[in-house]
Amino acid sequence: MFYFAYILSLLFGLICVIIVITWNTYYRGGFAWDGTGKMFNWHPLCMVSWFVLYGNAILVYRLPFTWSSNKITIKLVHAALNLGALILAVIGLLAVFGFHNKMHIPNLYSLHSWVGLATVILFSLQQCCQLVYTIYEAST
């Protein structure tokens, strides 16, 4: 049952990413990094991809086929997925702030923007604390 739920969650995550790519490509003009609306289109793609990747990073330790694997290998996979998720979140923020600045739209004018920024900041703090803890644990 667990594998079925895991595969289903992977499938739904992939479907969400495909839908966002399709929506931004065919209905919003595509992607670019030039300050136009096409630059903004990176924001929803990066944020959806961030959450999908982060969900997989969380589940790395829960997958039964990883239980017999080397603990260091699983930690590195977990860290790499979290780092990838953090990079996607930062790119998503850069896209929306760059678009707003180029179009002279105020930044952080809605509850969505404040909650989103707080989420990325807290996620970054969580990753920094985990890195410090992992380094401390390895040194003792």
Side-chain angles (χ1 to χ4, degrees), residues 92-112:
L93 286 180
L94 288 174
V96 76
F97 279 109
F99 168 73
H100 281 184
N101 292 339
K102 182 85 173 193
M103 295 293 165
H104 306 293
I105 299 170
N107 292 310
L108 304 173
Y109 64 89
S110 68
L111 181 62
H112 172 87

Side-chain angles (χ1 to χ4, degrees), residues 79-133:
L81 289 172
N82 274 320
L83 180 61
L86 182 60
I87 290 169
L88 285 171
V90 169
I91 292 171
L93 286 180
L94 288 174
V96 76
F97 279 109
F99 168 73
H100 281 184
N101 292 339
K102 182 85 173 193
M103 295 293 165
H104 306 293
I105 299 170
N107 292 310
L108 304 173
Y109 64 89
S110 68
L111 181 62
H112 172 87
S113 57
W114 282 102
V115 171
L117 185 63
T119 302
V120 173
I121 289 170
L122 290 173
F123 178 73
S124 302
L125 287 174
Q126 176 189 6
Q127 300 310 308
C128 289
C129 290
Q130 184 60 45
L131 180 65
V132 169
Y133 175 76

Side-chain angles (χ1 to χ4, degrees), residues 6 9-18 44-61 63 74 76-91 123 126-127:
Y6 177 66
S9 72
L10 283 177
L11 186 62
F12 283 150
L14 184 61
I15 289 170
C16 285
V17 170
I18 290 169
L45 176 61
C46 287
M47 294 306 171
V48 168
S49 300
W50 166 36
F51 283 116
V52 170
L53 199 57
Y54 181 51
N56 285 304
I58 292 169
L59 289 175
V60 164
Y61 290 107
L63 297 173
I74 301 303
L76 289 174
V77 169
H78 177 73
L81 289 172
N82 274 320
L83 180 61
L86 182 60
I87 290 169
L88 285 171
V90 169
I91 292 171
F123 178 73
Q126 176 189 6
Q127 300 310 308

Side-chain angles (χ1 to χ4, degrees), residues 60-79:
V60 164
Y61 290 107
R62 299 290 176 230
L63 297 173
F65 64 82
T66 64
W67 295 345
S68 61
S69 299
N70 185 357
K71 188 174 181 179
I72 295 298
T73 304
I74 301 303
K75 280 187 174 188
L76 289 174
V77 169
H78 177 73

